[in-house]
């Protein structure tokens, strides 16, 4: 009898062990769907189109990005960037030119109550098959050309295509056809689009706003296709038609879109999306006129909850954020295109759009952009510093009739592109708080206001009571 119970206990123990192992294995597969755990290929975030598995790496300490998420290739690139910046600082100090200026780059908030993993692309840096010249068009937002080379030559644009994808989606939001809060779910047609992607399963749902953010921050191809599917009412070709219509509307006469994401023919069976550096400047100018795109492209990372309620952090692919006032905009790569990049920068009143197409490596793409901005900085001169006193401004119905105003930002000029300046008093009719806009410094070029800098209050001033307002009105301002 004891032998029977012993045998039963052993059998029961074996059964429990088998169930536990099965549960553990299936759970692991669920958590790492689409992940090739045996991959030993080095990380590269510059390759937008390789069919790359994504590894979700636990960070141990919440909110603490450790060295484990940065490979040797990334460190080399960071060293190159830092070296170029140091050269710029030395030259600037020696020539008493403009100082480097950085913007406040936004960082997404991590929920400390939920687990966090960091997405790492495990692909080698792709080799460019493009052997032609480097195409470039570097221009201020108001149209002053700083550098150019073959800016009207057609070139495959790869993931720069996604900027037009986002512009079209936002147009449809403005028309009321879709909403940024729309819940959009991945389907078999969109979930497994290769290249740079969000690690999702069929049925995973995101807000339209977050899909657009993942396009501009992480260059997620499956997000771009899902946006096209949703906005195109289930027809991706309809969406691509809207992209071409938008390009025509903007005056991009040498641009043709065939896909919603810029993937190569080998992955889509369609022709390559093509444009020129000149046309892409036009597209970028339209993009940075939208507050959403300006905000999203400046975010250092995109955080998405996966189906297991884990926060997955996707880093911004733009490694130049916060250098020379750079806040955007988009990178792109596939073999036929080489390494492309649109950079947008704001230093005081000066906004610059720099388009570079056909770099042979990611390092060249970044160093060429840094060289452009170093050259520009040496040509910039400071006209007015931030907090410069701009005199008194009128308050119509406040306890003080006048208040001092100062500039909210620096004002620069670029050599050969001089401006005229005019102060505009807003004649505020209420009380004011410190930092409130009370006037504008208008920046004028060829008799046209091209931009302005806010003039802000230096103190709080209370608004008049109703009775005192009445007295001031009937006394024609004597009281």
């Amino acid at each position: 009898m004891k032998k029977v119970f012993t045998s039963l206990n052993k059998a029961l123990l074996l059964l429990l062990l088998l169930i536990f192992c099965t549960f553990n294995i299936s759970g692991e597969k669920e958590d790492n769907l689409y992940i090739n755990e045996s991959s030993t290929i080095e990380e590269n975030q510059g390759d937008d189109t390789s069919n790359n598995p994504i590894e979700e790496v636990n960070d141990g300490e919440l909110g603490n990005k450790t060295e484990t998420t940065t490979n040797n290739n990334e460190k080399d690139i960071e060293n190159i960037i830092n070296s170029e910046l140091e050269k710029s600082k030395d030259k600037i100090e020696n020539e008493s030119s403009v100082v480097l200026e950085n913007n406040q780059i936004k960082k997404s908030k991590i929920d400390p109550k939920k687990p966090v993993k960091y997405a790492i692309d495990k692909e080698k840096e792709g080799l460019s098959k493009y052997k032609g010249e480097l195409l470039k068009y570097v221009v201020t937002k108001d149209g002053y050309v700083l550098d150019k080379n073959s800016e009207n030559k057609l070139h495959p644009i790869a993931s720069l295509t996604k900027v037009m994808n986002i512009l079209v989606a936002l147009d449809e939001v403005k028309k009321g056809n879709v909403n940024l809060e729309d819940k959009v779910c991945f389907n078999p047609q969109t979930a497994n689009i290769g290249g740079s992607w969000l690690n999702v399963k069929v049925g995973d749902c995101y807000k339209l706003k977050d899909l657009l953010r993942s396009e501009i921050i992480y260059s997620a191809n499956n997000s771009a296709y899902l946006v096209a599917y949703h906005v195109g009412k289930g027809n991706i070709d309809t969406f691509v038609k809207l992209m071409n219509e938008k390009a025509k509307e903007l005056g991009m006469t040498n641009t043709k879109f065939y896909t919603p994401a810029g993937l190569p023919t080998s992955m889509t069976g369609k022709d390559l999306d093509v444009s020129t550096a000149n046309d892409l400047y036009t597209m970028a100018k339209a993009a940075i006129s939208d507050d959403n795109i300006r905000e999203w492209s400046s975010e250092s990372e995109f955080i998405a909850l996966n189906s297991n309620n884990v926060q997955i952090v996707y880093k911004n692919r733009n490694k130049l954020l916060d250098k020379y006032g750079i806040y955007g905009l988009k990178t792109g790569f596939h073999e036929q295109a080489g390494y492309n990049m649109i950079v947008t920068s704001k230093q005081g009143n000066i906004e610059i759009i720099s388009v570079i197409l056909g770099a042979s490596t990611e390092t060249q793409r970044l160093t060429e952009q840094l060289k452009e901005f170093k050259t520009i900085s040496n040509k910039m001169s400071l006209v007015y510093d931030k907090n410069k006193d701009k005199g008194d401004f009128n308050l119509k119905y406040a306890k003080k009739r006048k208040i001092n105003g100062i500039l909210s930002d620096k004002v620069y000029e670029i050599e050969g592109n001089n401006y005229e300046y005019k102060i505009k008093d807003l004649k505020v009719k209420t009380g004011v708080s410190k930092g409130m806009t009370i006037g504008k410094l208008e920046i004028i070029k060829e008799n046209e206001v091209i931009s302005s800098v806010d003039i802000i209050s230096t103190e709080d001033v209370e608004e008049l009571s109703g009775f005192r307002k009445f007295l001031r009105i009937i006394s024609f301002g004597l009281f």
Side-chain angles (χ1 to χ4, degrees), residues 219-451:
S219 199
N221 291 314
N222 51 358
S223 290
Y225 271 80
L226 182 55
V227 167
Y229 186 88
H230 177 66
V231 177
K233 307 302 180 186
N235 191 321
I236 290 174
D237 289 335
T238 297
F239 183 84
V240 173
K241 184 179 177 182
L242 292 176
M243 291 171 67
N244 284 306
E245 288 174 0
K246 181 67 175 178
K248 185 177 179 181
E249 175 192 320
L250 293 174
M252 298 169 64
T253 55
N254 295 312
T255 299
K256 182 67 176 178
F257 295 107
Y258 296 93
T259 77
L263 291 171
T265 303
S266 59
M267 296 178 70
T268 66
K270 297 180 180 291
D271 290 343
L272 295 175
D273 305 282
V274 292
S275 187
T276 66
N278 195 334
D279 274 7
L280 293 174
Y281 162 80
T282 300
M283 180 179 73
K285 188 175 175 180
I288 63 174
S289 297
D290 186 280
D291 290 340
N292 284 315
I293 296 178
R294 289 179 76 96
E295 179 183 348
W296 298 338
S297 65
S298 71
E299 294 181 80
S300 63
E301 58 197 20
F302 170 72
I303 300 175
L305 276 178
N306 70 5
S307 55
N308 294 320
N309 210 34
V310 175
Q311 297 171 103
I312 309 301
V313 181
Y314 300 88
K315 294 180 184 178
N316 196 315
R317 295 183 180 278
N318 184 352
K319 293 181 174 67
L320 298 182
L321 284 181
D322 210 25
K323 316 295 191 298
Y324 294 101
I326 291 169
Y327 65 87
L329 181 67
K330 190 72 190 73
T331 62
F333 168 81
H334 60 59
E335 288 180 340
Q336 289 77 23
Y339 287 83
N340 302 332
M341 191 175 197
I342 302 173
V343 163
T344 53
S345 162
K346 185 178 187 303
Q347 298 190 66
N349 59 304
I350 302 289
E351 287 210 65
I352 295 164
I353 298 169
S354 176
V355 182
I356 287 182
L357 306 176
S360 58
T361 64
E362 184 181 16
T363 298
Q364 185 191 16
R365 172 170 70 185
L366 296 173
T367 54
E368 287 293 333
Q369 290 285 11
L370 287 171
K371 287 176 186 176
E372 291 292 342
F373 280 94
K374 180 169 69 174
T375 301
I376 294 166
S377 285
N378 291 334
K379 292 180 178 180
M380 288 173 65
S381 59
L382 183 66
V383 179
Y384 298 118
D385 207 345
K386 185 177 180 179
N387 297 325
K388 172 71 175 176
D389 189 329
K390 300 309 292 180
D392 290 336
F393 292 79
N394 295 300
L395 299 178
K396 194 166 184 180
Y397 298 125
K399 289 185 176 181
K400 289 181 68 172
R401 293 171 182 271
K402 292 184 180 293
I403 188 172
N404 184 246
I406 58 174
L407 286 175
S408 63
D409 207 345
K410 296 179 180 180
V411 177
Y412 295 108
E413 283 185 359
I414 296 179
E415 181 182 311
N417 189 40
N418 299 330
Y419 301 128
E420 295 177 3
Y421 304 92
K422 181 181 177 181
I423 292 176
K424 182 178 180 180
D425 189 337
L426 297 182
K427 297 179 180 177
V428 177
K429 295 182 179 181
T430 63
V432 297
S433 56
K434 186 176 180 180
M436 179 177 169
T437 301
I438 56 175
K440 298 277 185 180
L441 179 69
E442 294 182 334
I443 298 162
I444 301 165
K445 181 180 177 181
E446 296 175 355
N447 298 317
E448 181 183 348
V449 177
I450 57 169
S451 64

Side-chain angles (χ1 to χ4, degrees), residues 397 399 464-473 475 479:
Y397 298 125
K399 289 185 176 181
L464 288 173
S465 66
F467 178 69
R468 287 188 173 273
K469 283 183 186 178
F470 174 71
L471 284 178
R472 186 167 288 183
I473 292 169
S475 68
F479 289 95

